Amino acid sequence: MKLTQSSRGKWLVIGLPYFWLLVMLLLPFLFLGQVSVSEMENGGGFLKIYRHDGWFFKDNFIPIWNDIINGGTYRTAYLSSLYYAALTAFWCLIIGYPFAYFMARARKELQPTLLLFVMLPFWISMLIRVYAIKVLFNDSGFLVTSISGLLQRFGLIDDPLHVLGTPFSMMFGMVYVYIPFMILPLYSTLSKMDPRYWEASADLGATPIKTFFLITVPLSKAGIIAGLMLVFIPCVGEYVIPQLLGGADILMIGRVLADEYFQNANWPLASALAITIILLVIIPMMILNKYEEKAGEFK
């Protein structure tokens, strides 16, 4: 089939960004794969796998899997990362869904303004926003001292309140930073929903709550899945927020990777750790996606 000039232009416009994204995904991943099977060099860094006219591979994955099986530090970091990422995605969904729902059902002329408020945090660097939360939750900050004084006055606590460096402050920061990634796909799905579904449901005698759970939620499944993935995947490897707001007891894989790369200068082991967490996230998602495709075929 011969492509017309307009078709070629369309494929060029679509193809170039995809090609760029593919290259920028594959190149770092191939580099990561190469380093993960190389050896440490004296003084830090790594040796090339092809040297002296031969290939030299080292299995850096065996110690990691042994550590995971035997319940070592790496397993703790992996489980902690998956747990906090799942918890963040859950709270973003619980808070973000009603927000996106009422935003989609607001007056059409009001929706762009509401959307602007959701995207407003992107105008400020994430690092600055996280530092602002750190100041807010500081033990000597106005908020913490006020709440602490109030609780002590009513006899609810004896010692001054300590918030910074706890799982609460870290979760607060992660939900605050990532919640726009949940709201935007949900709003996109909900705003395109045909309102006649809700009208038909009301005409048939369904209550608003029943309509919400039987009509709205199932029809917004694509937005829910997209939001969960957009929040969960980056949260697994999050480094900045746990480092600034989490305590020393919270060990996530981002901190372990940073220690291996920059303190121990063990690039091969750090790369093997990074590939392992990618596989731990990607493989279950591929299985889930395959299962959903099969389930869709039976419908």
Side-chain angles (χ1 to χ4, degrees):
M1 187 174 65
K2 194 173 180 180
L3 291 176
T4 61
Q5 190 173 356
S6 63
S7 297
R8 281 197 296 271
K10 185 176 72 176
W11 282 110
L12 190 67
V13 170
I14 297 172
L16 276 179
Y18 269 109
F19 177 74
W20 171 255
L21 289 172
L22 189 66
V23 168
M24 294 312 292
L25 171 71
L26 285 180
L27 279 181
F29 192 76
L30 290 174
F31 177 74
L32 200 67
Q34 177 204 338
V35 179
S36 69
V37 292
S38 65
E39 295 177 55
M40 276 284 293
E41 189 174 16
N42 290 333
F46 64 95
L47 294 170
K48 292 182 179 177
I49 55 175
Y50 185 78
R51 59 184 185 275
H52 310 305
D53 297 328
W55 295 92
F56 295 89
F57 295 101
K58 185 181 179 186
D59 195 348
N60 294 302
F61 292 91
I62 295 294
I64 296 172
W65 286 106
N66 285 336
D67 183 278
I68 292 173
I69 293 168
N70 297 321
T73 306
Y74 298 145
R75 185 168 82 172
T76 305
Y78 282 132
L79 289 178
S80 176
S81 300
L82 294 173
Y83 169 72
Y84 284 114
L87 202 59
T88 304
F90 171 77
W91 281 115
C92 284
L93 178 64
I94 295 296
I95 299 168
Y97 197 102
F99 193 94
Y101 176 77
F102 287 110
M103 200 165 73
R105 300 202 64 176
R107 295 199 311 273
K108 289 292 179 188
E109 62 272 18
L110 194 61
Q111 289 184 18
T113 308
L114 295 173
L115 200 58
L116 178 68
F117 280 121
V118 175
M119 292 189 289
L120 211 55
F122 291 125
W123 295 7
I124 303 171
S125 164
M126 188 191 85
L127 195 61
I128 294 173
R129 284 183 280 146
V130 175
Y131 264 110
I133 297 172
K134 190 172 182 177
V135 172
L136 190 71
F137 286 156
N138 195 291
D139 287 348
S140 58
F142 172 76
L143 182 69
V144 174
T145 51
S146 301
I147 295 175
S148 184
L150 196 65
L151 293 176
Q152 283 180 314
R153 184 175 299 174
F154 286 104
L156 296 174
I157 57 172
D158 297 323
D159 300 321
L161 203 60
H162 176 69
V163 180
L164 189 64
T166 63
F168 172 80
S169 64
M170 190 189 76
M171 283 302 304
F172 183 93
M174 289 180 74
V175 170
Y176 165 70
V177 168
Y178 285 101
I179 200 165
F181 296 98
M182 177 65 75
I183 292 174
L184 292 176
L186 279 173
Y187 168 74
S188 175
T189 306
L190 291 167
S191 61
K192 292 174 187 167
M193 205 173 286
D194 193 336
R196 287 178 293 183
Y197 286 117
W198 298 319
E199 293 168 6
S201 177
D203 290 342
L204 292 171
T207 61
I209 293 176
K210 203 170 180 179
T211 301
F212 176 77
F213 283 107
L214 295 182
I215 305 292
T216 310
V217 172
L219 289 177
S220 59
K221 185 181 168 187
I224 294 173
I225 293 173
L228 288 174
M229 289 179 70
L230 283 173
V231 174
F232 178 78
I233 292 175
C235 279
V236 172
E238 181 59 50
Y239 171 71
V240 173
I241 300 173
Q243 189 71 10
L244 293 177
L245 301 178
D249 296 335
I250 301 173
L251 183 65
M252 291 180 68
I253 194 64
R255 184 186 294 179
V256 175
L257 286 175
D259 289 345
E260 293 293 349
Y261 270 119
F262 304 117
Q263 290 188 11
N264 302 332
N266 193 342
W267 284 40
L269 182 63
S271 301
L273 283 166
I275 287 182
T276 304
I277 189 64
I278 291 172
L279 295 177
L280 285 174
V281 172
I282 295 293
I283 289 175
M285 285 192 171
M286 289 175 67
I287 294 171
L288 179 66
N289 189 45
K290 196 72 181 173
Y291 172 77
E292 285 189 341
E293 282 180 3
K294 284 186 179 178
E297 289 172 4
F298 285 111
K299 285 182 181 177

Coordinates of all heavy atoms in Angstrom, one line a residue, residues 10-77:
K10 N 2.2 12.2 8.9 CA 1.6 11.8 10.2 C 2.5 10.8 10.9 O 2.7 10.9 12.1 CB 0.2 11.2 9.9 CG -0.6 10.8 11.2 CD -2.0 10.3 10.8 CE -1.9 9.0 10.2 NZ -3.3 8.4 9.9
W11 N 3.0 9.8 10.1 CA 3.8 8.8 10.7 C 5.2 9.4 11.2 O 5.7 8.9 12.2 CB 4.1 7.6 9.7 CG 2.9 6.7 9.6 CD1 2.0 6.5 8.6 CD2 2.4 5.8 10.7 NE1 1.1 5.6 8.9 CE2 1.3 5.2 10.2 CE3 2.9 5.5 11.9 CZ2 0.6 4.2 10.9 CZ3 2.2 4.6 12.7 CH2 1.0 4.0 12.2
L12 N 5.6 10.4 10.4 CA 6.9 11.0 10.8 C 6.7 11.8 12.2 O 7.5 11.7 13.1 CB 7.3 12.0 9.8 CG 8.7 12.6 9.9 CD1 9.7 11.5 9.7 CD2 8.9 13.8 8.9
V13 N 5.5 12.5 12.3 CA 5.3 13.2 13.5 C 5.1 12.2 14.7 O 5.6 12.5 15.8 CB 4.0 14.1 13.4 CG1 3.5 14.6 14.7 CG2 4.2 15.2 12.4
I14 N 4.4 11.1 14.5 CA 4.2 10.1 15.5 C 5.5 9.3 15.8 O 5.9 9.0 16.9 CB 3.1 9.2 15.2 CG1 1.8 9.9 15.1 CG2 2.9 8.1 16.2 CD1 0.6 9.1 14.5
G15 N 6.2 9.0 14.7 CA 7.3 8.0 14.8 C 8.6 8.6 15.5 O 9.2 7.9 16.3
L16 N 8.9 9.9 15.2 CA 10.1 10.5 15.7 C 10.1 10.6 17.3 O 11.1 10.1 17.9 CB 10.3 11.9 15.1 CG 11.0 12.0 13.8 CD1 11.1 13.4 13.3 CD2 12.4 11.3 13.8
P17 N 9.0 11.0 17.9 CA 9.0 11.0 19.4 C 9.1 9.6 19.9 O 9.8 9.4 20.9 CB 7.7 11.7 19.8 CG 7.3 12.5 18.6 CD 7.8 11.7 17.4
Y18 N 8.4 8.6 19.3 CA 8.5 7.3 19.8 C 9.9 6.7 19.6 O 10.4 6.0 20.5 CB 7.5 6.4 19.0 CG 6.2 6.3 19.7 CD1 5.1 6.9 19.1 CD2 6.0 5.6 20.9 CE1 3.8 6.8 19.7 CE2 4.8 5.5 21.5 CZ 3.7 6.1 20.9 OH 2.4 6.1 21.5
F19 N 10.6 7.0 18.5 CA 11.9 6.6 18.3 C 12.9 7.2 19.3 O 13.7 6.5 19.9 CB 12.4 7.0 16.9 CG 13.8 6.6 16.6 CD1 14.2 5.3 16.3 CD2 14.8 7.6 16.6 CE1 15.5 5.0 16.1 CE2 16.1 7.3 16.3 CZ 16.5 6.0 16.1
W20 N 12.7 8.5 19.6 CA 13.5 9.1 20.6 C 13.3 8.5 22.0 O 14.3 8.2 22.7 CB 13.1 10.6 20.6 CG 13.8 11.4 21.8 CD1 13.1 11.8 22.9 CD2 15.1 11.8 21.9 NE1 14.0 12.5 23.7 CE2 15.3 12.5 23.1 CE3 16.2 11.6 21.0 CZ2 16.5 13.0 23.5 CZ3 17.4 12.2 21.5 CH2 17.5 12.9 22.7
L21 N 12.0 8.3 22.3 CA 11.7 7.7 23.7 C 12.3 6.2 23.8 O 12.9 5.9 24.8 CB 10.2 7.6 23.9 CG 9.5 8.9 24.1 CD1 8.0 8.8 24.2 CD2 10.0 9.5 25.5
L22 N 12.2 5.5 22.6 CA 12.7 4.1 22.6 C 14.3 4.1 22.8 O 14.8 3.3 23.6 CB 12.4 3.4 21.3 CG 12.6 1.9 21.2 CD1 11.8 1.2 22.2 CD2 12.4 1.4 19.8
V23 N 14.9 5.0 22.1 CA 16.4 5.0 22.2 C 16.8 5.5 23.6 O 17.7 4.9 24.2 CB 17.0 6.1 21.1 CG1 18.4 6.4 21.4 CG2 16.8 5.5 19.7
M24 N 16.1 6.5 24.2 CA 16.5 7.0 25.5 C 16.1 6.0 26.6 O 16.5 6.1 27.7 CB 15.9 8.3 25.7 CG 16.4 9.4 24.8 SD 18.2 9.5 24.7 CE 18.6 10.0 26.4
L25 N 15.3 5.0 26.3 CA 15.0 3.9 27.2 C 16.0 2.8 27.1 O 16.5 2.3 28.1 CB 13.5 3.4 27.0 CG 13.2 2.2 27.8 CD1 13.0 2.5 29.2 CD2 11.9 1.5 27.2
L26 N 16.3 2.4 25.8 CA 17.1 1.3 25.6 C 18.6 1.5 25.9 O 19.2 0.7 26.5 CB 17.0 0.8 24.2 CG 15.7 0.1 23.8 CD1 15.7 -0.3 22.3 CD2 15.6 -1.2 24.7
L27 N 19.1 2.7 25.6 CA 20.5 3.0 25.8 C 20.9 2.9 27.3 O 21.9 2.2 27.6 CB 20.9 4.3 25.2 CG 21.2 4.4 23.7 CD1 21.5 5.8 23.2 CD2 22.2 3.4 23.3
P28 N 20.2 3.6 28.2 CA 20.6 3.5 29.6 C 20.4 2.0 30.1 O 21.2 1.6 30.9 CB 19.6 4.4 30.3 CG 19.2 5.3 29.3 CD 19.2 4.6 28.0
F29 N 19.4 1.4 29.6 CA 19.1 0.0 30.1 C 20.2 -0.9 29.6 O 20.7 -1.8 30.4 CB 17.8 -0.5 29.6 CG 17.3 -1.7 30.3 CD1 16.8 -1.7 31.6 CD2 17.4 -3.0 29.6 CE1 16.4 -2.9 32.2 CE2 17.0 -4.1 30.2 CZ 16.5 -4.1 31.5
L30 N 20.7 -0.8 28.4 CA 21.8 -1.6 27.9 C 23.1 -1.4 28.6 O 23.8 -2.3 29.0 CB 22.0 -1.4 26.4 CG 20.9 -1.9 25.5 CD1 21.1 -1.5 24.0 CD2 20.8 -3.4 25.5
F31 N 23.3 -0.1 28.9 CA 24.5 0.3 29.7 C 24.4 -0.3 31.1 O 25.4 -0.9 31.6 CB 24.6 1.8 29.8 CG 25.7 2.3 30.6 CD1 27.0 2.2 30.2 CD2 25.5 2.8 31.9 CE1 28.1 2.6 31.0 CE2 26.5 3.2 32.7 CZ 27.8 3.2 32.2
L32 N 23.2 -0.3 31.7 CA 23.0 -0.8 33.0 C 23.2 -2.3 33.0 O 23.9 -2.9 33.9 CB 21.5 -0.6 33.5 CG 21.2 -0.6 35.0 CD1 21.9 0.5 35.7 CD2 19.7 -0.5 35.2
G33 N 22.7 -3.0 31.9 CA 22.9 -4.4 31.8 C 24.4 -4.8 31.7 O 24.8 -5.8 32.3
Q34 N 25.1 -4.0 30.9 CA 26.5 -4.3 30.7 C 27.3 -4.2 32.1 O 28.1 -5.0 32.4 CB 27.1 -3.3 29.7 CG 28.6 -3.5 29.5 CD 29.3 -2.2 29.0 OE1 28.6 -1.4 28.4 NE2 30.6 -2.1 29.2
V35 N 27.0 -3.1 32.8 CA 27.7 -2.9 34.1 C 27.4 -4.0 35.1 O 28.2 -4.4 35.9 CB 27.4 -1.5 34.6 CG1 28.1 -1.2 35.9 CG2 27.8 -0.4 33.6
S36 N 26.1 -4.4 35.0 CA 25.6 -5.4 36.0 C 26.4 -6.7 36.0 O 26.3 -7.5 36.9 CB 24.1 -5.6 35.9 OG 23.8 -6.3 34.7
V37 N 27.0 -7.0 34.8 CA 27.7 -8.3 34.7 C 29.2 -8.1 34.6 O 30.0 -8.9 34.1 CB 27.2 -9.1 33.4 CG1 25.8 -9.6 33.6 CG2 27.3 -8.3 32.2
S38 N 29.7 -6.9 35.0 CA 31.1 -6.6 34.9 C 31.7 -6.7 36.3 O 31.0 -7.0 37.3 CB 31.4 -5.2 34.4 OG 30.8 -4.2 35.3
E39 N 33.0 -6.5 36.4 CA 33.7 -6.6 37.7 C 34.1 -5.2 38.3 O 34.3 -4.3 37.5 CB 34.9 -7.5 37.6 CG 34.7 -8.9 37.2 CD 35.9 -9.6 37.0 OE1 36.8 -9.7 37.9 OE2 36.1 -10.2 35.9
M40 N 34.3 -5.2 39.5 CA 34.8 -4.0 40.2 C 36.2 -3.7 39.7 O 37.0 -4.6 39.6 CB 34.8 -4.1 41.7 CG 33.5 -3.8 42.4 SD 33.2 -2.1 42.4 CE 34.4 -1.6 43.6
E41 N 36.5 -2.4 39.6 CA 37.9 -2.0 39.3 C 38.6 -1.5 40.5 O 37.9 -0.9 41.4 CB 37.9 -0.9 38.2 CG 39.2 -0.6 37.6 CD 39.2 0.4 36.5 OE1 38.1 1.0 36.3 OE2 40.2 0.5 35.8
N42 N 39.8 -1.8 40.7 CA 40.5 -1.2 41.9 C 40.4 0.3 41.9 O 40.7 1.0 41.0 CB 42.0 -1.6 41.8 CG 42.2 -3.1 42.0 OD1 41.4 -3.8 42.7 ND2 43.3 -3.6 41.5
G43 N 39.9 0.8 43.1 CA 39.8 2.2 43.2 C 38.4 2.7 42.9 O 38.1 3.9 42.9
G44 N 37.5 1.7 42.5 CA 36.1 2.1 42.2 C 35.8 2.0 40.7 O 36.7 1.9 39.9
G45 N 34.5 2.1 40.4 CA 34.1 1.9 39.0 C 34.0 0.5 38.6 O 33.8 -0.4 39.4
F46 N 34.1 0.2 37.3 CA 33.9 -1.1 36.8 C 34.9 -1.4 35.6 O 35.3 -0.5 34.9 CB 32.5 -1.4 36.3 CG 32.0 -0.5 35.2 CD1 32.1 -1.0 33.9 CD2 31.6 0.8 35.4 CE1 31.7 -0.2 32.8 CE2 31.2 1.6 34.3 CZ 31.3 1.1 33.0
L47 N 35.1 -2.7 35.4 CA 35.9 -3.1 34.2 C 35.0 -3.4 33.0 O 33.9 -3.9 33.2 CB 36.8 -4.3 34.6 CG 37.9 -4.1 35.6 CD1 38.4 -5.5 36.0 CD2 39.0 -3.2 35.1
K48 N 35.5 -3.1 31.8 CA 34.6 -3.4 30.7 C 34.6 -4.9 30.5 O 35.5 -5.7 30.8 CB 35.2 -2.8 29.4 CG 35.1 -1.3 29.4 CD 35.7 -0.7 28.2 CE 35.5 0.9 28.2 NZ 36.1 1.5 27.0
I49 N 33.4 -5.4 30.0 CA 33.3 -6.9 29.9 C 34.1 -7.4 28.7 O 34.4 -8.6 28.7 CB 31.8 -7.3 29.8 CG1 31.1 -6.6 28.6 CG2 31.0 -7.0 31.1 CD1 29.7 -7.0 28.4
Y50 N 34.4 -6.6 27.7 CA 35.2 -7.0 26.6 C 36.6 -6.4 26.7 O 36.7 -5.2 26.6 CB 34.6 -6.7 25.3 CG 35.3 -7.3 24.1 CD1 35.2 -8.6 23.7 CD2 36.2 -6.5 23.3 CE1 35.9 -9.1 22.7 CE2 36.9 -7.0 22.3 CZ 36.8 -8.3 22.0 OH 37.5 -8.9 20.9
R51 N 37.6 -7.2 27.1 CA 38.9 -6.6 27.2 C 39.9 -7.8 27.0 O 39.6 -8.9 27.2 CB 39.1 -6.1 28.7 CG 38.9 -7.0 29.8 CD 39.0 -6.4 31.1 NE 38.9 -7.3 32.2 CZ 37.8 -7.7 32.8 NH1 36.7 -7.3 32.3 NH2 37.8 -8.6 33.8
H52 N 41.1 -7.4 26.6 CA 42.2 -8.4 26.3 C 41.7 -9.4 25.3 O 41.9 -10.6 25.4 CB 42.7 -9.1 27.5 CG 43.0 -8.1 28.7 ND1 43.9 -7.1 28.5 CD2 42.6 -8.1 29.9 CE1 44.0 -6.4 29.6 NE2 43.2 -7.0 30.5
D53 N 40.9 -8.9 24.3 CA 40.4 -9.8 23.2 C 39.5 -10.9 23.7 O 39.5 -12.1 23.2 CB 41.6 -10.4 22.4 CG 42.4 -9.4 21.7 OD1 41.8 -8.3 21.3 OD2 43.6 -9.5 21.5
G54 N 38.8 -10.7 24.8 CA 37.9 -11.7 25.3 C 36.8 -11.1 26.1 O 36.8 -9.9 26.5
W55 N 35.7 -11.9 26.4 CA 34.6 -11.5 27.2 C 34.7 -12.0 28.6 O 35.1 -13.2 28.8 CB 33.3 -12.0 26.6 CG 33.0 -11.5 25.2 CD1 33.3 -12.0 24.0 CD2 32.3 -10.3 24.9 NE1 32.9 -11.2 23.0 CE2 32.2 -10.2 23.5 CE3 31.7 -9.3 25.7 CZ2 31.6 -9.1 22.9 CZ3 31.1 -8.2 25.1 CH2 31.1 -8.1 23.7
F56 N 34.5 -11.1 29.6 CA 34.6 -11.5 31.0 C 33.3 -11.1 31.7 O 33.0 -9.9 31.8 CB 35.8 -10.8 31.6 CG 37.1 -11.2 31.1 CD1 37.6 -10.5 30.0 CD2 37.8 -12.2 31.6 CE1 38.9 -10.9 29.4 CE2 39.1 -12.6 31.1 CZ 39.6 -12.0 30.0
F57 N 32.5 -12.1 32.1 CA 31.2 -11.8 32.8 C 31.4 -12.2 34.2 O 32.0 -13.3 34.6 CB 30.1 -12.6 32.1 CG 29.8 -12.2 30.7 CD1 30.3 -12.9 29.6 CD2 29.1 -11.0 30.4 CE1 30.1 -12.5 28.3 CE2 28.8 -10.6 29.1 CZ 29.3 -11.4 28.1
K58 N 30.7 -11.5 35.1 CA 30.7 -11.8 36.5 C 29.2 -11.8 36.9 O 28.5 -10.8 36.6 CB 31.5 -10.9 37.4 CG 31.5 -11.3 38.8 CD 32.3 -10.4 39.7 CE 32.3 -10.9 41.1 NZ 32.9 -9.9 42.0
D59 N 28.8 -12.8 37.6 CA 27.4 -12.9 38.1 C 27.2 -12.1 39.4 O 27.6 -12.7 40.4 CB 27.0 -14.4 38.2 CG 25.5 -14.5 38.3 OD1 24.8 -13.4 38.5 OD2 25.0 -15.6 38.2
N60 N 26.8 -10.9 39.3 CA 26.5 -10.1 40.5 C 25.1 -10.3 41.1 O 24.8 -9.8 42.1 CB 26.7 -8.6 40.2 CG 28.1 -8.3 39.8 OD1 29.0 -8.5 40.6 ND2 28.3 -7.8 38.6
F61 N 24.3 -11.1 40.4 CA 22.9 -11.3 40.8 C 22.8 -12.4 41.9 O 21.9 -12.4 42.7 CB 22.1 -11.7 39.6 CG 21.9 -10.6 38.6 CD1 22.8 -10.4 37.5 CD2 20.9 -9.6 38.8 CE1 22.6 -9.4 36.6 CE2 20.7 -8.6 37.9 CZ 21.6 -8.5 36.8
I62 N 23.8 -13.4 41.9 CA 23.7 -14.5 42.9 C 23.7 -14.0 44.3 O 22.8 -14.4 45.1 CB 24.8 -15.5 42.6 CG1 24.7 -16.1 41.3 CG2 24.9 -16.5 43.7 CD1 23.4 -17.0 41.1
P63 N 24.6 -13.0 44.7 CA 24.6 -12.5 46.1 C 23.3 -11.8 46.4 O 22.8 -11.9 47.6 CB 25.8 -11.6 46.1 CG 26.6 -11.9 45.0 CD 25.8 -12.5 43.9
I64 N 22.7 -11.1 45.4 CA 21.5 -10.4 45.7 C 20.3 -11.4 45.9 O 19.6 -11.2 46.9 CB 21.1 -9.5 44.5 CG1 22.2 -8.4 44.3 CG2 19.8 -8.8 44.7 CD1 22.1 -7.6 43.0
W65 N 20.2 -12.4 45.1 CA 19.1 -13.4 45.3 C 19.3 -14.2 46.6 O 18.4 -14.5 47.2 CB 19.0 -14.3 44.1 CG 18.4 -13.6 42.9 CD1 19.1 -13.2 41.8 CD2 17.1 -13.2 42.8 NE1 18.2 -12.5 40.9 CE2 16.9 -12.5 41.5 CE3 15.9 -13.3 43.6 CZ2 15.7 -12.0 41.1 CZ3 14.7 -12.8 43.1 CH2 14.6 -12.1 41.9
N66 N 20.6 -14.5 46.9 CA 20.9 -15.2 48.2 C 20.4 -14.3 49.4 O 19.9 -14.8 50.3 CB 22.4 -15.5 48.3 CG 22.8 -16.7 47.4 OD1 21.9 -17.5 47.1 ND2 24.0 -16.8 47.1
D67 N 20.7 -13.0 49.2 CA 20.3 -12.1 50.3 C 18.8 -12.0 50.4 O 18.2 -12.0 51.5 CB 20.9 -10.7 50.0 CG 20.6 -9.7 51.1 OD1 19.4 -9.1 51.1 OD2 21.4 -9.5 51.9
I68 N 18.1 -12.0 49.2 CA 16.6 -11.9 49.2 C 16.0 -13.2 49.9 O 15.1 -13.2 50.7 CB 16.1 -11.8 47.8 CG1 16.5 -10.4 47.3 CG2 14.6 -11.9 47.7 CD1 16.2 -10.1 45.8
I69 N 16.6 -14.4 49.5 CA 16.1 -15.6 50.0 C 16.3 -15.8 51.5 O 15.5 -16.2 52.3 CB 16.7 -16.8 49.3 CG1 16.3 -16.8 47.8 CG2 16.4 -18.2 49.9 CD1 17.0 -17.7 46.9
N70 N 17.5 -15.3 52.0 CA 17.9 -15.4 53.4 C 17.4 -14.3 54.3 O 17.7 -14.2 55.5 CB 19.4 -15.6 53.5 CG 19.9 -16.8 52.8 OD1 19.3 -17.9 52.9 ND2 21.0 -16.7 52.1
G71 N 16.7 -13.3 53.7 CA 16.1 -12.2 54.5 C 17.1 -11.2 54.9 O 17.1 -10.7 56.1
G72 N 18.0 -10.8 54.0 CA 19.1 -9.8 54.4 C 18.6 -8.4 54.1 O 17.4 -8.1 54.0
T73 N 19.6 -7.5 54.0 CA 19.3 -6.1 53.9 C 18.6 -5.7 52.6 O 17.7 -4.9 52.6 CB 20.7 -5.3 53.9 OG1 21.4 -5.6 55.1 CG2 20.4 -3.8 53.9
Y74 N 19.0 -6.4 51.5 CA 18.4 -6.1 50.2 C 16.9 -6.5 50.2 O 16.1 -5.7 49.7 CB 19.1 -6.8 49.1 CG 20.6 -6.4 48.9 CD1 21.6 -7.3 48.6 CD2 21.0 -5.1 49.2 CE1 22.9 -6.9 48.4 CE2 22.3 -4.7 49.1 CZ 23.3 -5.6 48.7 OH 24.6 -5.2 48.6
R75 N 16.6 -7.6 50.8 CA 15.2 -8.0 50.8 C 14.4 -7.0 51.6 O 13.3 -6.6 51.2 CB 15.0 -9.4 51.4 CG 13.5 -9.8 51.3 CD 13.4 -11.3 51.7 NE 13.3 -11.5 53.1 CZ 13.0 -12.7 53.6 NH1 12.7 -13.7 52.8 NH2 13.0 -12.9 54.9
T76 N 14.9 -6.5 52.8 CA 14.3 -5.5 53.6 C 14.0 -4.2 52.7 O 12.9 -3.7 52.8 CB 15.1 -5.1 54.8 OG1 15.4 -6.3 55.5 CG2 14.4 -4.2 55.7
A77 N 15.0 -3.8 52.0 CA 14.9 -2.6 51.2 C 13.9 -2.8 50.1 O 13.1 -1.9 49.8 CB 16.3 -2.2 50.6

